[in-house]
Amino acid sequence: MSTSTLAVARGATPGAGDAVPPARRVKSLSGLLPFLRPYRGRIALALLFLLLAAAATLVLPVALKSLIDDGLVGSGPGAQLMALRGHFLALFAVGAALGVFSAARFYMVSWIGERVTADLRNAVYAHVVRQSPEFFETTQTGEVLSRLTTDTTLVQTVVGSSLSLGLRNTVMGLGALGMLVVTNPWVMSQVLGILVLVVLPSLYVGRRVRRLSRASQDRVADTSAIAAEVLGAIPVVQSYTQEAREAQRFARATEAAFEVARRRTRVRSLLVAFMITATFGALLWGLYQGTQAVLAGRISAGHLGQTVVYVIILVGSIAVLSEVYGDLLRAAGATERLMELLAARSPVAEPAQPVPLPPSRGGAAVTLSHVTFHYPSRPQVAALADFTLDVRPGETVALVGPSGAGKSTVFQLLLRFYDAQQGTVAIDGVPVGAVALHELRRRIGIVPQDSVIFSADAMDNIRYGRPDASDDEVVAAARAAFAHDFITALPDGYRTFLGERGVRLSGGQRQRIAIARAMLKNPPLLLLDEATSALDAESERVVQAALEAAMADRTTIVIAHRLATVQRADRIVVMDGGRIVDSGTHAELVARGGLYARLAAMQFGRDG
């Protein structure tokens, strides 16, 4: 799907979501060459078997001519019987060779197809997971999944089957045509002239089939995007009783995909019918001329039989090639879509010469100096405007303020999910843009507001913070996050499967798993984004105590709307409209009577 088409499908301005400039869009299957190149030896072997199988097929008519002219004509009964045995043995040998070479060709091309598809799928997935969040602002997850599944399956069909069939039938068709030209030069010169008239309109119609094939894949991707979005929000869909509406929306997308596929199939069917009918008519004309030559005594019966078989091979090859041509057109569209993903370049790039971070002692120093930042999807609104913040090693700083004040944006810039348009963001005195992404993010632990739980057991979910951690270290982190008791109460303890997105846990339990994951990582900089928002009062107290213990000897930045969780911070920074409007301790801010005092009065008054 072209990115401009994606933008239109999502209701955006055409071109606004373009991830790949038009000049870089891949227009053919040549995008697969880098994935085929490592298997040159196997491809050469597959081509050898293909040629041998085609050669065996082309030898059959010659053997048949010999059988008719030498085995059935002109000899006595005894000599005929011996000659027939020899000819039939020769035919069997040719058939056996054809079977062996065809089987070898099938295995080799099938292996290549499976291997290339797996490599392509891995490459696309590995590339996509390295994209910055800006990429996912303009690209739906369901569309990416469609490209990883449907499109790669089409490529597999072509590389592992259709391409081989096309090459084999091309060789056999050209071989049969060559033999017909050699044995019947005058007649076949007429036939070739007719075939040229067949090919030219076929190429024109083929381009239309390719466009419709691409459009068909786009519509299928739309259905995948809808399904991924809705299935990921089933509780919301069902709580608002929108099941029927979502089913209708999916059905409309499916019908749109069917309609484009129907148009593609209709055009492709007309193309196949035209090619086969015109080719068959041209070759029948050649056969008619051949029968006249036999009657006139200019050629033998065996010669005519040989010609008939070559005509059958040629017509069959053209019929297969017309089908393969349609498959190639569909795969070309799928390849373009996959290459678009691979060509996408994240605006957050690794530095050419990374600067190492100095050793961390007692936490990390954080500096944001005169930072101005606009999200790519909201270029007119500054999320941060001339924002300056210094956090000392080991200090705990709380960011508070109304929604949209820019608190979470500070975290996004520290993790370098985005780059600021102006100003400097630095950790331990080194600008984050100069540090290798892996080293930068290795020093930062984050507990997000919406805890992410993977489809794995509790042990693996916590170990995600540090994959090389031992079981004892995982349990220690769970104890520190007050998650040990509820985990051991699960049916299989730490080996209990938590379900997709942690559906078997409560919100507070998911949050404690996320906190344990961050504690296990043990980073010098800890980012807490509403880390206790999903906990009840009792759980919040125990987890808050665990968090305070985890904050020791490290720098911590806390985002919290519940001001009770930040009162003991070393410093509270009040934000509004992407700027710092006040700073101080809880008592100082309340005494000054500004925005923080109003927020505190509303919240504590309400809580009381």
Side-chain angles (χ1 to χ4, degrees):
M1 180 182 295
S2 67
T3 47
S4 58
T5 304
L6 280 174
V8 172
R10 289 190 294 269
T13 302
D18 283 0
V20 186
R24 296 182 62 183
R25 287 178 186 152
V26 180
K27 294 299 184 183
S28 70
L29 291 167
S30 60
L32 296 176
L33 290 178
F35 297 92
L36 293 168
R37 198 168 291 122
Y39 309 107
R40 292 186 294 268
R42 288 180 176 269
I43 293 173
L45 197 57
L47 288 174
L48 174 62
F49 289 133
L50 182 150
L51 292 172
L52 290 173
T57 303
L58 293 173
V59 167
L60 280 173
V62 177
L64 180 64
K65 176 180 181 300
S66 178
L67 172 66
I68 295 173
D69 288 345
D70 300 335
L72 297 177
V73 179
S75 300
Q80 274 189 337
L81 179 61
M82 296 301 295
L84 283 174
R85 287 178 180 175
H87 287 299
F88 274 108
L89 285 174
L91 283 171
F92 176 77
V94 172
L98 176 61
V100 171
F101 295 142
S102 296
R105 174 197 62 84
F106 173 78
Y107 174 80
M108 294 302 300
V109 297
S110 297
W111 187 96
I112 293 168
E114 295 286 351
R115 183 68 266 168
V116 168
T117 304
D119 292 346
L120 178 60
R121 189 176 288 129
N122 290 338
V124 172
Y125 183 79
H127 185 72
V128 168
V129 297
R130 288 181 172 86
Q131 298 302 302
S132 71
E134 180 180 345
F135 174 84
F136 296 98
E137 287 185 21
T138 55
T139 305
Q140 293 176 308
T141 303
E143 179 216 336
V144 175
L145 294 177
S146 173
R147 298 192 188 195
L148 282 171
T149 53
T150 307
D151 291 354
T152 52
T153 300
L154 278 175
V155 171
Q156 177 182 343
T157 300
V158 168
V159 176
S161 175
S162 298
L163 193 59
S164 169
L165 284 176
L167 291 173
R168 177 173 176 269
N169 283 276
T170 298
V171 172
M172 291 198 312
L174 291 175
L177 185 61
M179 292 298 293
L180 288 171
V181 170
V182 170
T183 55
N184 304 275
W186 168 243
V187 173
M188 288 311 299
S189 62
Q190 303 174 47
V191 172
L192 287 176
I194 299 174
L195 290 179
V196 170
L197 299 178
V198 174
V199 170
L200 292 178
S202 299
L203 294 175
Y204 172 78
V205 177
R207 285 195 293 269
R208 177 168 172 77
V209 172
R210 177 177 173 176
R211 289 194 298 269
L212 289 172
S213 297
R214 177 66 186 264
S216 177
Q217 290 303 107
D218 291 347
R219 300 290 77 77
V220 171
D222 291 343
T223 62
S224 298
I226 292 173
E229 180 182 32
V230 173
L231 293 177
I234 281 295
V236 176
V237 173
Q238 293 181 348
S239 65
Y240 282 90
T241 65
Q242 294 298 307
E243 299 93 331
R245 175 177 174 273
E246 294 298 344
Q248 291 171 1
R249 187 159 72 102
F250 185 82
R252 286 195 297 270
T254 303
E255 285 302 312
F258 168 76
E259 179 59 26
V260 177
R262 184 188 64 79
R263 289 163 53 199
R264 182 201 74 228
T265 305
R266 182 182 63 190
V267 175
R268 183 175 170 183
S269 299
L270 292 174
L271 174 63
V272 171
F274 171 74
M275 289 183 65
I276 293 178
T277 303
T279 304
F280 197 69
L283 293 175
L284 281 179
W285 167 254
L287 283 178
Y288 173 76
Q289 296 292 324
T291 56
Q292 297 300 309
V294 172
L295 293 176
R298 293 194 298 272
I299 62 174
S300 67
H303 190 151
L304 178 61
Q306 173 184 280
T307 300
V308 169
V309 176
Y310 277 131
V311 167
I312 292 173
I313 292 174
L314 181 56
V315 172
S317 297
I318 292 175
V320 172
L321 286 173
S322 64
E323 290 289 327
V324 169
Y325 185 49
D327 289 339
L328 290 176
L329 292 173
R330 292 187 68 195
T335 303
E336 289 176 10
R337 288 158 46 87
L338 291 166
M339 293 304 111
E340 282 177 0
L341 285 181
L342 285 175
R345 290 294 174 262
S346 174
V348 177
E350 291 278 3
Q353 294 182 331
V355 177
L357 287 170
S360 179
R361 295 182 178 87
V366 175
T367 303
L368 291 91
S369 179
H370 301 289
V371 171
T372 297
F373 174 72
H374 301 255
Y375 282 101
S377 57
R378 304 187 296 277
Q380 305 303 321
V381 180
L384 293 178
D386 196 26
F387 182 88
T388 297
L389 174 67
D390 288 307
V391 182
R392 298 183 301 274
E395 186 179 15
T396 297
V397 173
L399 304 180
V400 301
S403 297
K407 303 183 297 295
S408 296
T409 302
V410 174
F411 284 12
Q412 302 268 20
L413 296 180
L414 287 174
L415 287 161
R416 208 181 165 221
F417 290 156
Y418 298 90
D419 284 330
Q421 284 87 24
Q422 297 178 22
T424 302
V425 180
I427 291 182
D428 289 326
V430 182
V432 294
V435 183
L437 289 174
H438 178 74
E439 184 179 2
L440 170 68
R441 293 168 183 170
R442 192 161 49 90
R443 290 208 173 189
I444 303 174
I446 183 167
V447 180
Q449 182 175 0
D450 298 322
S451 301
V452 176
I453 302 298
F454 297 97
S455 298
D457 58 35
M459 181 72 71
D460 287 339
N461 263 284
I462 298 175
R463 187 178 274 123
Y464 202 83
R466 184 155 57 88
D468 59 347
S470 66
D471 289 356
D472 290 340
E473 289 173 317
V474 171
V475 172
R479 289 183 183 277
F482 290 85
H484 177 74
D485 289 343
F486 83 77
I487 292 176
T488 53
L490 294 172
D492 296 315
Y494 280 85
R495 296 302 178 186
T496 301
F497 178 69
L498 302 183
E500 186 177 9
R501 298 184 304 279
V503 295
R504 301 179 68 178
L505 301 178
S506 68
Q509 290 172 335
R510 290 196 295 270
Q511 201 78 337
R512 279 180 273 177
I513 291 285
I515 293 169
R517 182 187 297 157
M519 288 182 171
L520 181 64
K521 187 177 182 180
N522 194 28
L525 175 59
L526 184 62
L527 307 179
L528 306 177
D529 188 357
E530 295 286 349
T532 60
S533 61
L535 305 181
D536 54 46
E538 181 179 356
S539 296
E540 182 179 2
R541 281 193 294 271
V542 294
V543 173
Q544 190 65 40
L547 287 174
E548 289 177 3
M551 292 175 190
D553 299 324
R554 64 169 50 89
T555 304
T556 306
I557 302 179
V558 184
I559 293 176
H561 288 102
R562 296 168 66 170
L563 303 184
T565 64
V566 301
Q567 291 184 35
R568 289 189 292 275
D570 298 323
R571 181 160 43 114
I572 300 173
V573 174
V574 185
M575 297 178 61
D576 191 20
R579 301 175 183 272
I580 295 177
V581 297
D582 210 345
S583 178
T585 64
H586 172 74
E588 291 170 347
L589 293 171
V590 170
R592 281 202 282 268
L595 174 60
Y596 182 86
R598 293 196 300 273
L599 293 173
M602 287 188 296
Q603 193 168 117
F604 293 134
R606 181 190 62 206
D607 292 344

